[in-house]
Amino acid sequence: MGKALSGVRVLVVEDDPDLGCMTRIVLEEEGAQVRVAQTASDALTAIGSFLPEIALLDSRLPDMTGRVLSHHLQERISTCVQILVSGDAAEVEHWSQVGGHALSKPF
């Protein structure tokens, strides 16, 4: 049986190094090709050489919000599925209600 994410390119944008590393490990165990960025600027640089199919975006990054980063990614890679990740339940609920994908932390 194949791995669930075999060959899927995933960009993880998370400023907490431990959570970013743990997320990378779990996704790689499922076969994903993973890049981790700790800032929005690093994420925007990474997409120049790594075109993600999925992006997990921390809602609160040191240099911009996950929502703003989402707009930048949408302009550059419209086919990338973006998932906002937040510890704020109200933010997750709002993002889901406006048609976005969202995931609550901790997961």
Side-chain angles (χ1 to χ4, degrees):
M1 187 173 191
K3 298 200 176 201
L5 295 172
S6 184
V8 175
R9 293 180 309 277
V10 180
L11 176 63
V12 175
V13 187
E14 173 58 62
D15 62 337
D16 178 323
D18 293 332
L19 186 54
C21 181
M22 185 265 318
T23 304
R24 178 184 52 77
I25 290 168
V26 170
L27 292 170
E28 286 178 344
E29 286 178 356
E30 289 301 320
Q33 298 173 27
V34 182
R35 295 273 171 90
V36 178
Q38 290 185 326
T39 67
S41 297
D42 290 344
L44 293 172
T45 299
I47 65 170
S49 61
F50 181 77
L51 297 174
E53 297 167 81
I54 300 172
L56 298 175
L57 311 175
D58 186 359
S59 65
R60 296 185 181 137
L61 296 163
D63 54 347
M64 77 177 65
T65 68
R67 288 183 186 194
V68 172
L69 176 57
S70 174
H71 292 296
H72 287 291
L73 288 175
Q74 182 64 31
E75 290 173 355
R76 296 178 186 195
I77 311 172
S78 62
T79 58
C80 179
V81 175
Q82 300 177 38
I83 303 169
L84 187 75
V85 181
S86 177
D88 182 341
E91 185 171 34
V92 169
E93 179 68 22
H94 174 74
W95 191 253
S96 297
Q97 287 178 351
V98 298
H101 303 288
L103 182 64
S104 293
K105 284 198 254 184
F107 46 83

